[in-house]
Amino acid sequence: MRSSCRGAGRLVCIHRVRSCSSIRFIKSKYVCVFDKSALKFSHQQRLFRTSAVLCGQIVQFKLSDIGEGITEVTVKEWYVKEGDSVSQFDSICEVQSDKASVTITSRYDGIIRKLHYNVDETAYVGKPLVDIETDASKGVAPEEDVVETPPMSHEEHTHQEIKGHKTLATPAVRRLAMENNIKLSEVVGTGKDNRILKEDILNYLAKQTGAILPPSPKAEIIPPLPKSETVPAAPKDKAHKIPVSRPIVFSGKDKTEPITGFQKAMVKTMSAALKIPHFGYCDEIDLTQLVQLREELKPLAQLRGVKLSFMPFFIKAASLGLLQYPILNASLDESCRNVTYKASHNIGVAMDTEQGLIVPNVKNVQVCSVFEIASELNRLQSLGSAGQLGTNDLTGGTFTLSNIGTIGGTYAKPVILPPEVAIGALGKIQLLPRFNGKGEVFKAQIMNEASDCLKKKERKKEDLICYSVIRCIKSCHYRSILQNCKPKLSIACCEDARHKLKHQIIEQLFCFSKCKSPLGCSYQDLTALNCR
Amino acid sequence: MVLQSSLKSCLQLSCILKTPKAGFRSTMSGGLIIQSISNDIYQNLAVEDWIHDHMNLENGQVLFLWRNSPAVVIGRHQNPWQECNLRLMRQKNIKLARRRSGGGTVYHDLGNINLTFFTARKKYERMENLKLVVKALKALSPQLDVHVTDRYDILLDGQYKISGTAAKLGRMTAYHHCTLLCNADKFVLSSVLRSPYKGIKSNATPSVPASVKNLFEEDPSLTCEMLLDAIAEEYATQHQIDHHITLVNPADETVLPGISNKTEELQAWEWVYGKTPKFSVSTCLNMVYKDSVIDVKVDLDVKHGRIEVCNIDLPEQWLPPALCSELVDSFTGSKFCPNEITTLATTLLRVCPQDDEMHSRWNLLCENMTRLM
């Protein structure tokens, strides 16, 4: 529905109009009188936002000459649709001709009323491309958004001429400038063709007021206006006072997007995960020995091109624990009637990628050495960051470890990933003071570890699983593996003669698969070593 | 010594491009030759964008020289699945970029040079630019048989393409850029520019394949540096300016304010893949399962790089129908991207009944689907 107007604009009814598919009532708000002279604001006037242009005059915007004698082009993309309002110099569409892509920009301010071509159709130079409804009155550029403000010449905020160049800014940007008494000529434009953008106005304001604006350009926060700096002339109407500090006007809009793809799948999985009754257990582990061991083994791994972190040790230790407590490497069926004890220890490692939480797993850890695990982990990590993990890498996991330590966290309460029954979360290793048996303080490398496991409703099973976790963690296996890990042969470290031998043995320990005891091997095996 | 002069050059550029308070960019007069110190395709495309948007070229022009580490560059309105072997590119870590100009797909590596001629819109003239290049080549190596075709290609020995052209026209400025093969890896070029994807129906601009040759093969004394220098010299002569190449750092916000936003935009998935014109994929997966081959008809509509409509015709009961529809439902709206599909499908598998047989079928189907992407 359109507003009506009479003549060259003596008496005008301004209606609030919305052009949308459902029928809306026209609310007629205020009638106001204005003529050209009254365009300099006085505060008695209240002009309201109009979203439609007065007095439509349809202009056929023809496709202008492309150059090189080209007569026809293919329309490739429309940037506007019928009903959109455009400003002069806004992009309307993209056309292509013989390897040249051309952006067609609007010559007028107005509303798009008709698109003459569909995408992939041929458009002709000199023929109409779009119909734009413009404001009839000439001389004054159409002012669409007008707000009550301290006096500022109307003309200043239309097309300002600076050294023969027009200042480009959309009506919204002009309004923002006007509300804050900024002359567009003072602002540096960083947009296309030196166009002044919203960010430019905000930056200018920030410099003026010293206000710290939030980094996100999406929140249109307009800082409070300073007292007197930017007000040019004393307002004629004394009733209007500029407040000392205006409340910050936040005009950001909510944005709704559908959840698709991977995120949708994660929502499903996590919802299912949180339905599982959980039992959590947290503890602290002294890893001083492990830290030392890793330092010794790191260069050996590097020689083979493998980056050795702490994870391979934890993974191996977890697997050794699972050997003793296979219920933690199990899966319950949907009806919670049957437990399947999985033979392979496919231990998943949670990775945080751009997409979200991905959990690839290392297969058959029960038969891998720490070194093999480290190597496989490297492979998974590089594929993960390149976004190239395969289905085999991402399925078949039976137990998961999640490392919060890498992002600096010390505590965590992880969520079990179905169809598994348990998950371990590892915090950061920190150097902390602890008391030993004699009451002396010593330095210890401490890590907080939290596990979660399935808590079954049946009394018996519940006890079994939870108890397993506690035993597994606390008593002999997981924790003690890590706490007590040192090379089985601890040849005195300062003896030069045996130094070389010690390193060779450590190397062999490191590389052996089918470890018979935590991280080491039996003495019989050692005697069969090849010394280099 | 070299470092000092390049620093000096960078400062000079910022003086020319610096904006006074009034938001008025100084007008170019005469000409300017600049060269990028970066080999990153996205950064260099961003520089082109920046010059196009911010420089006033009413009275002057700019020649921009650049080279990139291995990348495939598709035209503004092209379909990457139709144009190149994305799978191979991922394996070889070859980047994919979509430029803002039209035209077809090219392969860049350090053995290829890129030239961009910036002018005022009214002075847009591709033939002149290419003739300039040919003149420079002949000055460097007089026995070279090179000429410009009416399709704005440069041919060597009358049959081998050594340069492709594309252009972008804006309201006030325009640019014409072209490649020039000096000693690029032809083997990689031909393997990445061959699409393995079948069944694609699209209105995207197709590329016209051509046999290529390196200038180096004709004249082994030629190097990229020599070519760049010769072309800069010819340009300087023709526009009566100093033969002086100003180095530009595409990561420098002080010289090129707003450049990092442009670089980010060019790297974003929404631009590179999301700007693909609507297309459909209609094909048959031949899945090898145990001892038989299962034919699965697949029909997909892809819009803005996302699967809008998905139809998978599986043999009856091969997968439980409820799961099948769950899978199809999750594909809808998802990016047409193998990583997205893989992570999506494997995540969903966690909440499906734990049946090994079913799992392996599910995985097989997903792997085959990702081969389309």
Side-chain angles (χ1 to χ4, degrees):
Chain A
M1 301 199 188
R2 278 188 212 162
S3 58
S4 60
C5 73
R6 266 188 260 150
R10 254 283 161 184
L11 176 70
V12 180
C13 290
I14 302 173
H15 297 270
R16 194 179 175 122
V17 173
R18 281 173 150 252
S19 57
C20 47
S21 51
S22 60
I23 298 171
R24 302 232 172 180
F25 288 106
I26 303 173
K27 284 186 183 173
S28 102
K29 289 251 169 182
Y30 289 85
V31 173
C32 73
V33 180
F34 71 89
D35 57 19
K36 263 193 184 174
S37 60
L39 283 171
K40 291 192 174 87
F41 295 100
S42 90
H43 299 287
Q44 272 86 22
Q45 291 170 4
R46 285 168 148 254
L47 300 173
F48 282 82
R49 176 198 290 241
T50 64
S51 50
V53 182
L54 323 168
C55 210
Q57 181 198 330
I58 307 270
V59 174
Q60 286 199 320
F61 174 41
K62 301 196 175 85
L63 181 61
S64 55
D65 185 33
I66 307 284
E68 292 185 338
I70 292 164
T71 52
E72 54 186 61
V73 296
T74 314
V75 176
K76 281 296 186 179
E77 188 176 339
W78 284 107
Y79 296 128
V80 296
K81 53 186 191 300
E82 289 173 11
D84 282 352
S85 60
V86 287
S87 310
Q88 190 182 20
F89 309 136
D90 278 354
S91 299
I92 290 196
C93 66
E94 197 79 21
V95 300
Q96 183 167 257
S97 151
D98 190 27
K99 305 182 190 184
S101 190
V102 190
T103 308
I104 307 292
T105 56
S106 176
R107 204 178 295 142
Y108 313 103
D109 288 340
I111 297 188
I112 303 287
R113 286 297 174 211
K114 185 173 178 189
L115 305 179
H116 285 260
Y117 302 100
N118 290 321
V119 169
D120 290 330
E121 281 185 349
T122 307
Y124 297 92
V125 171
K127 295 264 162 53
L129 185 66
V130 289
D131 290 348
I132 302 181
E133 183 184 326
T134 62
D135 183 11
S137 51
K138 290 169 192 176
V140 176
E143 185 59 21
E144 293 179 341
D145 286 19
V146 168
V147 173
E148 166 188 326
T149 56
M152 188 71 134
S153 161
H154 175 80
E155 273 93 21
E156 290 234 35
H157 289 276
T158 59
H159 296 291
Q160 294 188 317
E161 304 269 333
I162 314 156
K163 296 184 190 174
H165 290 260
K166 293 195 172 173
T167 310
L168 307 179
T170 63
V173 171
R174 290 188 202 138
R175 170 169 58 94
L176 186 58
M178 219 171 0
E179 280 173 359
N180 293 285
N181 271 306
I182 297 171
K183 276 182 150 188
L184 288 177
S185 54
E186 303 270 298
V187 182
V188 177
T190 60
K192 197 174 158 116
D193 294 329
N194 310 331
R195 181 185 294 251
I196 295 171
L197 305 173
K198 215 162 290 172
E199 289 79 32
D200 301 325
I201 303 280
L202 295 178
N203 284 335
Y204 180 85
L205 276 169
K207 287 189 196 121
Q208 292 278 310
T209 64
I212 299 166
L213 298 169
S216 158
K218 291 188 182 125
E220 298 172 22
I221 296 185
I222 301 161
L225 208 60
K227 263 199 210 168
S228 53
E229 273 169 86
T230 53
V231 176
K236 293 213 164 96
D237 180 7
K238 284 165 197 138
H240 180 83
K241 283 184 192 133
I242 302 161
V244 169
S245 81
R246 257 192 214 167
I248 293 180
V249 178
F250 177 72
S251 53
K253 285 205 179 87
D254 289 348
K255 189 176 158 196
T256 306
E257 272 178 356
I259 298 181
T260 57
F262 174 61
Q263 286 179 331
K264 199 156 101 179
M266 275 305 281
V267 167
K268 275 208 171 95
T269 309
M270 280 300 143
S271 308
L274 289 169
K275 285 197 191 126
I276 305 172
H278 277 62
F279 168 80
Y281 178 84
C282 301
D283 199 1
E284 147 184 316
I285 308 180
D286 185 343
L287 293 179
T288 314
Q289 307 264 15
L290 179 63
V291 171
Q292 196 186 333
L293 178 64
R294 179 180 163 248
E295 279 309 305
E296 289 179 20
L297 294 175
K298 231 166 67 167
L300 293 173
Q302 222 145 23
L303 283 175
R304 286 172 171 74
V306 170
K307 196 174 148 215
L308 183 67
S309 62
F310 285 104
M311 276 313 271
F313 295 98
F314 297 137
I315 293 171
K316 185 61 183 172
S319 170
L320 292 165
L322 292 174
L323 279 176
Q324 297 300 316
Y325 297 96
I327 187 118
L328 295 175
N329 196 52
S331 179
L332 276 178
D333 67 5
E334 270 168 15
S335 55
C336 291
R337 288 226 192 121
N338 297 302
V339 168
T340 309
Y341 296 85
K342 301 279 183 180
S344 304
H345 297 172
N346 298 337
I347 300 188
V349 179
M351 287 183 191
D352 188 32
T353 63
E354 271 176 17
Q355 273 182 301
L357 180 69
I358 313 255
V359 190
N361 57 82
V362 179
K363 300 275 191 294
N364 292 309
V365 177
Q366 73 276 10
V367 295
C368 291
S369 68
V370 172
F371 176 75
E372 285 165 349
I373 297 167
S375 167
E376 174 66 2
L377 200 58
N378 279 179
R379 184 186 76 87
L380 292 172
Q381 279 162 339
S382 58
L383 283 178
S385 49
Q388 290 177 28
L389 285 166
T391 49
N392 197 40
D393 297 326
L394 291 167
T395 54
T398 56
F399 182 86
T400 301
L401 283 177
S402 176
N403 190 358
I404 295 293
T406 50
I407 55 170
T410 51
Y411 290 89
K413 191 174 187 318
V415 173
I416 301 174
L417 295 169
E420 296 162 21
V421 296
I423 183 169
L426 311 164
K428 194 170 74 162
I429 302 179
Q430 296 172 291
L431 193 59
L432 295 171
R434 287 287 176 273
F435 287 104
N436 65 11
K438 295 185 209 152
E440 295 162 338
V441 176
F442 67 97
K443 281 200 299 195
Q445 299 275 16
I446 302 294
M447 179 186 75
N448 285 300
E449 181 270 338
S451 317
D452 236 38
C453 74
L454 178 75
K455 181 172 171 167
K456 272 219 65 208
K457 292 211 160 81
E458 283 174 42
R459 189 97 191 117
K460 227 166 133 186
K461 283 264 186 319
E462 169 189 89
D463 285 342
L464 181 58
I465 294 172
C466 297
Y467 187 51
S468 303
V469 172
I470 297 170
R471 276 217 63 183
C472 183
I473 306 293
K474 199 167 178 162
S475 65
C476 315
H477 292 263
Y478 193 58
R479 182 164 127 155
S480 65
I481 289 163
L482 297 170
Q483 281 191 162
N484 298 326
C485 67
K486 41 192 166 189
K488 266 302 183 188
L489 276 187
S490 46
I491 303 169
C493 40
C494 299
E495 297 174 38
D496 282 30
R498 289 190 207 169
H499 207 60
K500 188 181 169 192
L501 181 64
K502 177 199 170 194
H503 276 283
Q504 285 166 355
I505 290 169
I506 291 174
E507 180 172 344
Q508 291 296 335
L509 286 175
F510 187 42
C511 299
F512 260 125
S513 76
K514 298 199 174 154
C515 294
K516 295 199 176 75
S517 55
L519 294 165
C521 39
S522 64
Y523 287 82
Q524 286 90 331
D525 293 326
L526 282 170
T527 55
L529 284 181
N530 285 330
C531 289
R532 265 193 270 113
Chain B
M1 202 55 187
V2 176
L3 186 63
Q4 259 189 334
S5 66
S6 66
L7 254 171
K8 185 179 163 199
S9 306
C10 281
L11 285 173
Q12 245 185 336
L13 181 68
S14 75
C15 289
I16 294 170
L17 301 175
K18 195 168 185 168
T19 61
K21 207 176 167 208
F24 168 60
R25 312 272 152 152
S26 57
T27 310
M28 277 291 323
S29 49
L32 179 66
I33 306 174
I34 59 176
Q35 184 166 346
S36 174
I37 63 171
S38 164
N39 293 128
D40 180 83
I41 179 68
Y42 306 110
Q43 286 187 337
N44 289 328
L45 287 174
V47 172
E48 279 190 328
D49 245 2
W50 193 96
I51 298 175
H52 183 64
D53 286 351
H54 296 292
M55 284 192 78
N56 184 331
L57 296 164
E58 251 170 80
N59 300 317
Q61 29 218 323
V62 177
L63 173 64
F64 176 42
L65 309 169
W66 41 299
R67 283 198 289 163
N68 301 308
S69 41
V72 170
V73 185
I74 58 174
R76 170 75 173 78
H77 309 289
Q78 292 201 295
N79 180 332
W81 289 277
Q82 248 183 345
E83 297 297 331
C84 48
N85 190 338
L86 294 171
R87 210 180 302 142
L88 186 63
M89 285 162 62
R90 282 176 210 121
Q91 280 167 21
K92 286 181 169 283
N93 210 17
I94 296 177
K95 296 182 190 168
L96 175 68
R98 180 188 296 268
R99 56 178 192 265
R100 299 211 190 258
S101 58
T105 303
V106 283
Y107 171 72
H108 290 190
D109 67 16
L110 290 171
N112 168 72
I113 65 170
N114 302 298
L115 318 160
T116 313
F117 299 85
F118 290 92
T119 58
R121 169 80 184 254
K122 296 185 186 107
K123 299 226 184 80
Y124 166 69
E125 185 43 83
R126 293 181 284 185
M127 210 38 107
E128 290 297 309
N129 299 334
L130 293 171
K131 284 186 182 152
L132 187 155
V133 174
V134 165
K135 193 166 174 205
L137 287 177
K138 290 217 164 112
L140 201 54
S141 187
Q143 73 282 12
L144 275 179
D145 173 12
V146 281
H147 77 274
V148 188
T149 68
D150 52 10
R151 278 200 77 238
Y152 306 104
D153 293 335
I154 301 180
L155 294 186
L156 178 63
D157 297 338
Q159 45 175 312
Y160 299 107
K161 185 168 167 178
I162 58 166
S163 166
T165 268
K168 173 99 188 77
L169 286 83
R171 198 174 58 85
M172 300 293 280
T173 54
Y175 63 83
H176 158 222
H177 54 198
C178 60
T179 56
L180 193 59
L181 290 173
C182 181
N183 55 351
D185 190 333
K186 284 201 306 189
F187 179 69
V188 175
L189 185 155
S190 54
S191 50
V192 295
L193 293 185
R194 197 180 304 130
S195 165
Y197 306 110
K198 308 267 180 275
I200 298 180
K201 251 200 230 150
S202 158
N203 280 331
T205 316
S207 291
V208 177
S211 311
V212 296
K213 198 171 183 186
N214 282 309
L215 282 168
F216 174 80
E217 291 173 67
E218 279 293 305
D219 182 349
S221 71
L222 291 174
T223 66
C224 286
E225 285 77 17
M226 286 168 69
L227 291 177
L228 289 169
D229 214 50
I231 291 164
E233 170 141 13
E234 186 59 44
Y235 187 86
T237 313
Q238 280 200 18
H239 297 286
Q240 288 145 359
I241 55 169
D242 235 3
H243 175 189
H244 170 79
I245 303 179
T246 307
L247 295 176
V248 73
N249 178 2
D252 193 346
E253 277 285 323
T254 54
V255 175
L256 309 164
I259 188 96
S260 40
N261 278 344
K262 289 191 187 289
T263 311
E264 256 176 60
E265 219 186 287
L266 286 161
Q267 274 174 312
W269 190 92
E270 275 66 32
W271 173 258
V272 179
Y273 294 96
K275 278 293 183 183
T276 308
K278 197 163 73 169
F279 68 99
S280 67
V281 178
S282 189
T283 185
C284 193
L285 306 171
N286 306 113
M287 310 198 305
V288 179
Y289 185 63
K290 295 199 174 155
D291 284 326
S292 54
V293 176
I294 317 229
D295 289 324
V296 181
K297 197 162 174 316
V298 174
D299 289 284
L300 305 167
D301 280 351
V302 182
K303 192 174 168 189
H304 301 312
R306 285 175 186 270
I307 298 173
E308 212 181 29
V309 172
C310 176
N311 274 316
I312 306 179
D313 225 341
L314 284 167
E316 219 165 306
Q317 298 302 324
W318 195 75
L319 268 183
L323 284 179
C324 208
S325 57
E326 171 102 42
L327 192 63
V328 167
D329 181 58
S330 61
F331 282 166
T332 310
S334 154
K335 289 183 187 171
F336 190 61
C337 161
N339 190 37
E340 181 89 354
I341 298 294
T342 306
T343 51
L344 181 167
T346 51
T347 304
L348 263 182
L349 206 53
R350 289 184 180 276
V351 293
C352 293
Q354 296 305 301
D355 172 357
D356 278 343
E357 169 86 16
M358 197 273 288
H359 279 214
S360 55
R361 290 184 184 196
W362 177 286
N363 280 345
L364 182 68
L365 176 62
C366 292
E367 275 160 20
N368 277 272
M369 285 294 289
T370 59
R371 291 191 70 76
L372 298 176
M373 307 173 195

